[in-house]
Amino acid sequence: AQSVTQPDIHITVSEGASLELRCNYSYGATPYLFWYVQSPGQGLQLLLKYFSGDTLVQGIKGFEAEFKRSQSSFNLRKPSVHWSDAAEYFCAVGPKAAGNKLTFGGGTRVLVKP
Amino acid sequence: DAGVIQSPRHEVTEMGQEVTLRCKPISGHNSLFWYRQTMMRGLELLIYFNNNVPIDDSGMPEDRFSAKMPNASFSTLKIQPSEPRDSAVYFCASRLLAGTYNEQFFGPGTRLTVL
C-alpha cells in the first residue's frame, strides 16, 4: 500500500530565509509525486509535480522539489520565503495508472515570522 | 474558466438533520473526488468517480454517508442523519482522465458544522 509521511507538523521560518519541507513516501513502483499548498480557508492548489525525467522540478511561486529515489523522498524547497507563503503544504503520491487515487501526507503548516 | 464549484460554502445544521453537499466539476473533467478534512484526521479521501461511476468508496465512514454523480457535471455528498463528529471541511476535486496522471483541481470546500 502506498503512504506518505511529512515528518514536520509545523515549521516556523523568518521572512527571507530558506524553507525545506520533507516528504517521504512508500510505494512499490515509480510513483507520481505532487506538492499542494492550502492557504487559510481555501482549497488545495498544485505547486508542482514529478512524473519522470529530471529529478529537480520547478513549480509555481518560486518553489522546487527534488525526487530522490534512493531515499524515497520528495522534499520541497524555496530559497527565500515571503509572508504570503504561510500556509499548509501537502505532499501526495499517486500511481502511474491514470484512473487511480492520490494518497496525501498529513501536511506541514508553515508560519512566517516578519 | 470556472474552477470546481461547491455549494454551500458553509452549512450549520443540527444533529439528526440531512445534509447535502454539492459539487460541479470543471467542464470536461471526468474524474471526481470527495475529501474530508479535519484537524484530527487530516485530508481523507471519501469516494471517487471515474466517468460518473463510483470506483472506490472505501473511505466513506459509514452508511450515513452516500454520494452520487448523476451526470458529468454534478455530484452530491449526502449525510443522513448528521452527527457532530461529521463537522469538517468537505472538498470536491476533479481531474481529466488521460494517459498520464493529471492533477486534481480542488474546490473551495464546504465547511460543515453539526450542532
Side-chain angles (χ1 to χ4, degrees):
Chain A
Q2 58 202 46
S3 66
V4 179
T5 302
Q6 294 180 244
D8 304 305
I9 297 175
H10 293 100
I11 286 182
T12 299
V13 61
S14 297
E15 191 168 15
S18 63
L19 174 68
E20 181 166 11
L21 304 182
R22 295 183 290 164
C23 172
N24 295 98
Y25 67 90
S26 173
Y27 191 69
T30 301
Y32 287 172
L33 293 157
F34 305 80
W35 274 100
Y36 281 84
V37 61
Q38 183 181 28
S39 298
Q42 304 296 315
L44 278 70
Q45 179 186 21
L46 183 71
L47 282 175
L48 49 79
K49 58 188 176 185
Y50 172 77
F51 287 169
S52 64
D54 192 346
T55 56
L56 184 65
V57 293
Q58 302 297 319
I60 63 172
K61 304 185 180 187
F63 284 91
E64 66 178 25
E66 186 171 12
F67 171 60
K68 292 185 177 180
R69 183 189 304 274
S70 61
Q71 298 177 18
S72 297
S73 69
F74 188 56
N75 294 349
L76 181 72
R77 298 193 293 258
K78 185 168 184 177
S80 178
V81 169
H82 187 261
W83 64 267
S84 60
D85 295 321
E88 189 155 19
Y89 294 79
F90 293 90
C91 181
V93 62
K96 280 194 172 183
N100 291 345
K101 61 188 181 184
L102 290 179
T103 298
F104 283 84
T108 298
R109 185 170 298 277
V110 173
L111 303 176
V112 180
K113 296 188 301 183
Chain B
D1 286 340
V4 175
I5 298 172
Q6 292 187 247
S7 64
R9 291 294 310 275
H10 301 273
E11 177 81 35
V12 180
T13 190
E14 293 187 344
M15 183 174 62
Q17 297 298 305
E18 177 180 298
V19 175
T20 300
L21 311 181
R22 297 173 176 79
C23 175
K24 178 177 170 54
I26 292 173
S27 177
H29 284 190
N30 50 3
S31 187
L32 183 140
F33 303 77
W34 281 102
Y35 291 89
R36 178 173 68 176
Q37 186 178 41
T38 62
M39 289 293 292
M40 291 296 294
R41 301 176 67 89
L43 193 63
E44 303 173 276
L45 177 66
L46 300 178
I47 184 171
Y48 78 97
F49 298 82
N50 287 343
N51 296 310
N52 311 338
V53 175
I55 303 301
D56 184 348
D57 65 354
S58 59
M60 296 286 262
E62 48 198 277
D63 291 346
R64 297 184 297 106
F65 285 69
S66 62
K68 294 182 179 179
M69 192 163 186
N71 57 62
S73 59
F74 184 66
S75 177
T76 60
L77 177 68
K78 185 177 293 186
I79 308 172
Q80 167 62 23
S82 58
E83 297 182 3
R85 60 194 168 116
D86 302 329
S87 297
V89 181
Y90 292 81
F91 288 103
C92 177
S94 73
R95 70 178 179 91
L96 180 64
L97 282 174
T100 57
Y101 203 109
N102 292 303
E103 67 176 280
Q104 295 182 25
F105 290 82
F106 282 75
T110 295
R111 181 173 295 277
L112 174 64
T113 302
V114 183
L115 302 174

